[in-house]
Amino acid sequence: MRVSAFRVPAASPSDVSGVAALLDAGSLRADEVVAIVGKTEGNGGRNDFSRELATRALEELFAARLGIPREGVGDRIVFSLSGGCEGAASPHLVVFARSGEPLAERRPVKRLAIGIGFTRELRAEEIGRRAQIEETAATIRRVVDWLRVDSPADVHLVQMKGAIPPFTYEEARAAETAGRPLRSDMVFSRGASALGAALALGEVAAESLTDDAVCRDFSLHSGVASCSAKPGLTRTEVVVLANSAYWDGDLAISHAVLADMLDVRSIHRVLGSLGLTPDVQLSPVQAERVIGVFAKSEADPRGTIRGLRHTMLTDDDVSDTRYSRGLLAAVLASVLGHGAVYVSTRAEHHGPLGGGTLAVVARLPEGVDAP
Amino acid sequence: MRVSAFRVPAASPSDVSGVAALLDAGSLRADEVVAIVGKTEGNGGRNDFSRELATRALEELFAARLGIPREGVGDRIVFSLSGGCEGAASPHLVVFARSGEPLAERRPVKRLAIGIGFTRELRAEEIGRRAQIEETAATIRRVVDWLRVDSPADVHLVQMKGAIPPFTYEEARAAETAGRPLRSDMVFSRGASALGAALALGEVAAESLTDDAVCRDFSLHSGVASCSAKPGLTRTEVVVLANSAYWDGDLAISHAVLADMLDVRSIHRVLGSLGLTPDVQLSPVQAERVIGVFAKSEADPRGTIRGLRHTMLTDDDVSDTRYSRGLLAAVLASVLGHGAVYVSTRAEHHGPLGGGTLAVVARLPEGVDAP
Amino acid sequence: MRVSAFRVPAASPSDVSGVAALLDAGSLRADEVVAIVGKTEGNGGRNDFSRELATRALEELFAARLGIPREGVGDRIVFSLSGGCEGAASPHLVVFARSGEPLAERRPVKRLAIGIGFTRELRAEEIGRRAQIEETAATIRRVVDWLRVDSPADVHLVQMKGAIPPFTYEEARAAETAGRPLRSDMVFSRGASALGAALALGEVAAESLTDDAVCRDFSLHSGVASCSAKPGLTRTEVVVLANSAYWDGDLAISHAVLADMLDVRSIHRVLGSLGLTPDVQLSPVQAERVIGVFAKSEADPRGTIRGLRHTMLTDDDVSDTRYSRGLLAAVLASVLGHGAVYVSTRAEHHGPLGGGTLAVVARLPEGVDAP
Amino acid sequence: MRVSAFRVPAASPSDVSGVAALLDAGSLRADEVVAIVGKTEGNGGRNDFSRELATRALEELFAARLGIPREGVGDRIVFSLSGGCEGAASPHLVVFARSGEPLAERRPVKRLAIGIGFTRELRAEEIGRRAQIEETAATIRRVVDWLRVDSPADVHLVQMKGAIPPFTYEEARAAETAGRPLRSDMVFSRGASALGAALALGEVAAESLTDDAVCRDFSLHSGVASCSAKPGLTRTEVVVLANSAYWDGDLAISHAVLADMLDVRSIHRVLGSLGLTPDVQLSPVQAERVIGVFAKSEADPRGTIRGLRHTMLTDDDVSDTRYSRGLLAAVLASVLGHGAVYVSTRAEHHGPLGGGTLAVVARLPEGVDAP
């Protein structure tokens, strides 16, 4: 089994012409596509309709190609679209397809492996609490098992679209009165999703994951999670990317934990582990090898970056989400030489406070092995 | 004569405690201060009141120290405050003071020199046209002459606060009817100011500078201009920074033209010319030597950066000015290791289309000469 | 022939459940629907994807019901969706259907009549100029003729989605160099569309409509136009609403020109002409009769409303479009008692400077005739 | 003793020329001014620097006139400046002065009375809890006693600038860990301030005011509170406006509780109680009598207004604070005929959920008595 992956620019949220062209050219088979992760140009918040528009356009495309109703496409392909293309960030899709039979025997080198999964339907009162963490972890473990990795250390990215089940104003007040205020929002869904990944991969001790720890004890975190939560979604969608000796192809993935938003050295380190060694910026030829860059950004809640005050969290005109996504996208683009980067923001339990996670999928140069 | 310069963080627009501490400590003498260039955390637009608040607080401080009325301070010190601290950018002031007597003879090496000037009062109908360009150029030339530089190539930064004289709705309609629509806005004032610098320093041919060329023929540009225009200002304020053999001290300045917003190599080149050679990011010790970083950013009006679409100019929620400032500030911060950078935006005739200008003032390492 | 019309709330841009319910209940027949005019909750600007999402969802619904491809629906039904539901404004759709045969003879009273039309494909260089005005006027005249009104005074609303053909940066620069800068933007498309309505209905003299007059001579205006322009649209879509003695039913329309954004008296006058006479606010029973309220708002470019300064045009954080829509929607809602109002903004040549247009479609009370 | 009051437009936040003109003309004496309540054109949020700029300009003016240092002015005059002039709202100041001796005996009619007070310094951990409520109530009671009103029902406005003492990130985490998360923010400071007014005036039972009730049990509320909280302020500033038989002059105040943001009937009722009876809008002559209009707005947290969905709380581009202020300002302006209204937003415990408070100060027509 092998993964193929393509980076496709989008002229607008509903532009699926690039994916259609790949299908038409035979580079991609509709029935082999398992996940599309991408950035659309909305605000990334509750009224970001660019994601729904893009999803709908992709569903329509694949419904026609697969000969199934539009509503059924989401059960076969995970669409993990995240809003917010600030500054250098350029709207694009990364399409992952899977082909061939599972390998019966290990190969001497590892290659990119991909799997998807869905949690059961979650209830609003479970979000941001132990229940969500455990269900998310169980789902991730099932996918990881299926990928046949040597160890959890071979998992480099757990990309999630976190559930945020809807609720009424009255339900919220009732829960508050009952002393268990609902946490069914972006903040808690992202936080618990990341802790789910941390639990699944042994990054944190199970007993530390109390309800109280969620979005409070930030010493607990995952180095490979990337969750973007979606209001209205009732189950969390999971895509796991790892390197496995039972998979074939020319792709590999690597990751690093970003200590803060200016941690350029870690970016260089991830690229280096994939055989890409820029002086200060990748050459166009090197950049061509990079298919997907997935990162989580954060406006440090302590109000400073390396001791200097930032104003991202005290600006009531523009959300910190837009600023920090733009910031990390620019830093990544300064090394890559272009802005086709997936940066999703607010990194609760994704790397340390003020930091984030970073994973890169690349076509390996001759003679370089997956990390 | 020698220049001393200090970088001072600001806890809010009206926070002048850092400057007051320098005065109290005797590191700075109020009567030697000639210019304060800084970033405040407003939106950088018409309703950015952070600049006026900061200016007022600084004026009040210096009025008390100099024993003069607040209203008179602006004739002695140029306050070039620019709004917009997006993402990594941190609010700060750079204070320039000048002490000692003019040197009678050349020294073998050059050092940072600074001078200030003011255009005459400009009329709304002159803005964005030949009249503004010429008056700006004449003012710059007077200051440059006074600095005693060897050649225009020794001028590395012409920092301007461009005039935007006020006018009424009726005056605007009348000018439009007369076929000479007013250009008294930020766009044209910045553009004509940059062309004024280009004219003064011989970067463009005088005859190419027609009214029609302003904000249209972007092949004409300056590599050292940095103009931020201010609604209501009736004269342009000019600060010129150069290296001169008739000046003393341990500071020097260097500059580069940024080809685009991801032009990291030029950032490294400027730092290198001042003896600062980061691998991928300055060390804290190196970063300490950098006093001021002054740059102009731009959302490329062609809608792409290195061939990939950006969305800065099609977003009607957040201005491109905020995005591009945040983008360039992040790229600069990724090299410097911190966000105390002055980035002002929209770079009409400041460097090539989609690019900008960059100047750095630093304390020279032992054995390194000014460029 | 008769018009039926329904006001349907929308829980989100893609929520078409209300329209589907009307179809399911038999209150509405898919093949009789001619126009859907509505407000969606985007920003109303270039990156407002709520309109496209809503249109797509409606197209999909009608494609299924009509048994035709989604792409063909727009040729049968005009979808005039406008973004921006600020403050009291509530997202909703007004669905217009037409049934029965044309009446052979006049009836003694007039009733609501509706017709739609499309201009030919327009080129970017025609927008905002005489060519667009004339083509728009010709299209409107064809529709008006078909409605068989007694006089142009019976036309109370010309609802338009104005064309804004795309163009490249290079084409724009070339046009500028050629001395005919492109005007293919929202401002000019709205302005020329309104003048097209004014020309078609004899509100202005044909010879006054020079290229130079567009968006400059605001003494020229229409009292019944309502245009919202859409980037990328290559032909203008037109819906005409009038009262005609050759139409049947229980609906009628009336209109007024708003002198400014606080012109509450004109709102009362329009309602009164339809038999609805609130003391200060419509009773719920009266409000039920009002099906559609269509208005154009404007932040007075002179910077004041009734002599007091407004700040809508000097705020660089939030667009004046959002403020003025919210303002007029609130004023309308204060009279109607609810916020299901269609307010579209920037009213170039729609009513006088600082004012706008207002049309109301209502179910006539017993014994009241159409104006 | 008598109150004089003036409404003064502001051309910018730092424009105090209108107040200076009143002082120069002798209409106002600097030493008689006790409070200035006004709207400035910032965003009303944390980074609204227009308030500080206006305050500073006013302090500087009064320092010069009173011959005292700028820092001491705030102890003599309460400056209650609130940011946010959306839509029809026009930046302005209402200046209140007090002159003459206290009356020894009751007069047969009541007139406007004004008093100011300050709470003690509050600590961050007290905000939003019983401690703040009680201290606020005690302060209000002292001022009310001094005004010599017949009953609490004669108090029509308690205008407050609520304290929000600063704290560090570490202090916040420590408080959270201790199970008493800090509430030192705008939401809780406004809520507890309103409850303080409700307690002082007997609008709610003292025992119902538990810590838990704050910003949770919205059945508890004041009908006369108007609080706008200010980050960094360490004591709450209070201005009480009432009608008293021991005060003289030609001014009076009246108030109403707004049931929701479209409650136009209550606006008419307040005006009527002051002898101002518009048909649908005040005539210019009537409007001239209205000196100050003070209201609190709210985007109903249940997401609807009169059963129709609003989008103010699900918009991540523009704050609901801007929308709801603009909404209520427009509704008020539609009745008044102009936009010189003070609307401050988020009305926690100010009137019922989704509603707000409204007070009007007017010059009484001949033969009309204060309510």
Side-chain angles (χ1 to χ4, degrees), chain D residues 22-367:
Chain D
L22 288 171
L23 293 169
D24 291 341
S27 312
L28 198 63
R29 285 182 47 148
D31 59 358
E32 293 178 350
V33 174
V34 286
I36 298 184
V37 184
K39 290 299 298 183
T40 60
E41 58 205 278
N43 64 15
R46 291 163 299 172
N47 63 326
D48 181 343
F49 303 111
S50 67
R51 296 171 300 209
E52 184 179 352
L53 179 56
T55 302
R56 215 174 168 111
L58 286 167
E59 285 175 349
E60 198 172 305
L61 173 68
F62 280 94
R65 302 297 173 119
L66 293 168
I68 62 174
R70 183 174 69 73
E71 290 72 15
V73 175
D75 289 329
R76 296 182 51 159
I77 305 174
V78 170
F79 297 108
S80 204
L81 296 168
S82 159
C85 293
E86 292 84 7
S90 188
H92 70 290
L93 304 170
V94 181
V95 185
F96 292 99
R98 215 162 48 188
S99 58
E101 294 302 305
L103 294 187
E105 288 178 37
R106 292 179 60 87
R107 296 177 66 248
V109 292
K110 299 171 190 167
R111 286 294 182 265
L112 181 64
I114 188 169
I116 65 173
F118 302 90
T119 66
R120 64 167 167 78
E121 302 276 311
L122 293 164
R123 295 189 306 278
E125 59 266 31
E126 295 179 314
I127 300 304
R129 295 200 158 89
R130 179 88 193 183
Q132 185 189 9
I133 297 172
E134 287 181 354
E135 173 61 19
T136 304
T139 305
I140 294 168
R141 276 197 209 99
R142 279 196 304 274
V143 179
V144 170
D145 285 350
W146 184 82
L147 295 178
R148 303 185 67 182
V149 296
D150 291 352
S151 90
D154 283 329
V155 176
H156 292 271
L157 178 61
V158 181
Q159 174 73 25
M160 292 167 281
K161 191 59 102 180
I164 309 181
F167 54 87
T168 64
Y169 179 81
E170 288 69 28
E171 289 168 346
R173 305 308 290 196
E176 208 167 290
T177 305
R180 268 179 74 88
L182 291 186
R183 299 176 170 182
S184 193
D185 61 23
M186 292 190 185
V187 172
F188 276 106
S189 184
R190 278 189 305 254
S193 296
L195 290 175
L199 178 60
L201 301 173
E203 298 177 280
V204 299
E207 61 275 15
S208 62
L209 297 173
T210 60
D211 283 5
D212 274 0
V214 183
C215 293
R216 183 165 303 177
D217 180 357
F218 292 116
S219 70
L220 306 169
H221 51 80
S222 167
V224 299
S226 169
C227 178
S228 169
K230 182 178 165 187
L233 193 68
T234 55
R235 63 180 184 180
T236 293
E237 303 172 356
V238 172
V239 183
V240 179
L241 290 151
N243 295 321
S244 167
Y246 290 87
W247 289 66
D248 203 357
D250 60 352
L251 297 170
I253 185 169
S254 183
H255 85 278
V257 173
L258 300 174
D260 62 24
M261 291 299 105
L262 299 179
D263 186 4
V264 183
R265 292 185 203 283
S266 290
I267 302 172
H268 280 260
R269 203 171 57 247
V270 175
L271 291 172
S273 72
L274 293 165
L276 299 165
T277 50
D279 50 342
V280 300
Q281 191 172 74
L282 289 181
S283 68
V285 170
Q286 288 175 313
E288 204 53 44
R289 295 197 156 272
V290 178
I291 307 299
V293 176
F294 308 95
K296 287 294 293 186
S297 73
E298 183 158 272
D300 195 310
R302 291 163 297 194
T304 57
I305 302 178
R306 301 202 182 171
L308 294 185
R309 183 168 71 98
H310 70 76
T311 63
M312 294 185 269
L313 289 164
T314 50
D315 187 325
D316 284 324
D317 296 310
V318 179
S319 171
D320 64 280
T321 59
R322 307 210 77 165
Y323 284 135
S324 85
R325 266 192 309 255
L327 160 50
L328 186 53
V331 172
L332 288 164
S334 77
V335 181
L336 296 166
H338 67 77
V341 294
Y342 175 101
V343 180
S344 156
T345 196
R346 294 244 182 110
E348 303 88 352
H349 304 293
H350 295 70
L353 202 58
T357 53
L358 169 67
V360 174
V361 170
R363 191 159 284 120
L364 289 171
E366 197 69 38

Side-chain angles (χ1 to χ4, degrees), chain A residues 13-14 41 49-50 52-53 56-57 60 70-71 317, chain C residues 13-14 41 49-50 52-53 56-57 60 70-71 317:
Chain A
S14 61
E41 58 205 279
F49 303 111
S50 67
E52 184 180 351
L53 179 57
R56 211 171 171 115
E60 198 173 304
R70 184 174 68 75
E71 290 74 15
D317 296 311
Chain C
S14 61
E41 58 205 278
F49 303 112
S50 67
E52 183 179 353
L53 179 56
R56 213 171 169 115
E60 199 173 303
R70 184 174 69 73
E71 289 74 14
D317 296 311

Side-chain angles (χ1 to χ4, degrees), chain C residues 1-31:
Chain C
M1 214 162 205
R2 55 181 291 149
V3 181
S4 54
F6 301 87
R7 192 178 73 219
V8 184
S12 80
S14 61
D15 174 29
V16 297
S17 61
V19 181
L22 287 171
L23 293 169
D24 291 342
S27 310
L28 199 63
R29 284 182 50 148
D31 59 358

Side-chain angles (χ1 to χ4, degrees), chain C residues 106-145:
Chain C
R106 293 178 59 87
R107 295 176 68 248
V109 291
K110 298 172 190 167
R111 287 295 182 264
L112 181 64
I114 188 170
I116 65 174
F118 302 89
T119 65
R120 64 168 167 76
E121 302 277 312
L122 294 163
R123 294 188 306 277
E125 60 265 33
E126 294 179 314
I127 300 303
R129 295 201 159 87
R130 180 89 194 183
Q132 185 189 9
I133 297 172
E134 287 182 352
E135 172 61 18
T136 303
T139 304
I140 293 168
R141 276 196 209 101
R142 278 196 306 274
V143 180
V144 170
D145 285 350

Side-chain angles (χ1 to χ4, degrees), chain A residues 118-180:
Chain A
F118 303 89
T119 65
R120 64 166 167 77
E121 301 277 310
L122 294 164
R123 293 189 305 278
E125 60 266 31
E126 294 179 313
I127 301 302
R129 295 201 158 88
R130 180 88 194 183
Q132 185 189 9
I133 297 173
E134 287 182 353
E135 173 61 18
T136 304
T139 304
I140 294 168
R141 277 195 207 100
R142 279 196 304 275
V143 179
V144 169
D145 284 351
W146 183 82
L147 295 178
R148 303 186 70 181
V149 297
D150 291 353
S151 89
D154 284 329
V155 176
H156 293 270
L157 177 63
V158 181
Q159 174 74 24
M160 292 168 281
K161 190 58 101 180
I164 308 180
F167 54 86
T168 65
Y169 179 81
E170 288 70 28
E171 288 168 348
R173 306 307 290 198
E176 210 167 287
T177 305
R180 268 178 76 86

